[in-house]
Amino acid sequence: MKVKVTGIPVNDQEKALKFYTDILGFVKKVDVPISADSRWLTVVSKEEQDGTEVLLEPSPNHFEPSKTYQKALFDAGIPYTQFSVDSVQKEYERLIDLGVEFSVVPTAMGTVKIAVFNDTCGNNIQIIEML
């Protein structure tokens, strides 16, 4: 078994697509309409275009428990997921220059360094560097 797709709930798919591609640097992989206001919309790492796809899932708009869970995580400052980077400090500086808001600045924690930012679509996302 291996992970092919993992989902992140987003409250606006178009806004999420712009953030995840234009700001974070992911590449759009699949974009298929599934209803009048929803798409099967995935992005992948530019460095691993055949790797795991991130589904920008509109579930908060269609399933109230998902919306409640997403908001509770966000309000508590808990990241919905994490992405690996080579250098948290360099990525932090790059994203700050692009106007991304961080709730946790680069912080060493044992064998890792982390930072947490707002993806503008209802989620805290953590970036992590193995030290």
Side-chain angles (χ1 to χ4, degrees):
M1 244 185 262
K2 60 183 177 179
V3 177
K4 179 64 179 161
V5 177
T6 187
I8 295 177
V10 297
N11 50 29
D12 182 322
Q13 284 186 300
E14 192 58 36
K15 183 177 180 181
L17 178 61
K18 288 180 182 172
F19 183 84
Y20 279 78
T21 56
D22 296 348
I23 303 295
L24 297 185
F26 285 88
V27 175
K28 182 169 64 171
K29 179 84 173 193
V30 178
D31 188 353
V32 178
I34 56 175
S35 72
D37 63 346
S38 296
R39 298 142 64 182
W40 182 267
L41 179 60
T42 68
V43 295
V44 293
S45 168
K46 192 180 296 184
E47 293 83 21
E48 292 183 7
Q49 293 189 30
D50 291 324
T52 303
E53 297 175 47
V54 177
L55 174 62
L56 303 176
E57 190 169 358
S59 60
N61 300 330
H62 306 288
F63 188 57
E64 192 62 33
S66 176
K67 185 177 190 175
T68 301
Y69 177 67
Q70 181 189 28
K71 183 176 180 342
L73 284 178
F74 187 84
D75 290 348
I78 298 171
Y80 192 87
T81 195
Q82 69 181 20
F83 299 129
S84 177
V85 296
D86 291 331
S87 169
V88 165
Q89 187 63 42
K90 286 181 183 175
E91 193 65 14
Y92 169 79
E93 291 168 6
R94 183 184 79 79
L95 293 174
I96 283 288
D97 287 346
L98 293 171
V100 175
E101 295 178 15
F102 279 78
S103 58
V104 177
V105 298
T107 304
M109 304 178 95
T111 60
V112 299
K113 184 181 277 190
I114 66 152
V116 178
F117 63 86
N118 177 344
D119 78 349
T120 73
C121 301
N123 304 293
N124 293 302
I125 304 294
Q126 180 171 283
I127 53 175
I128 184 169
E129 168 190 356
M130 301 305 293
L131 300 175

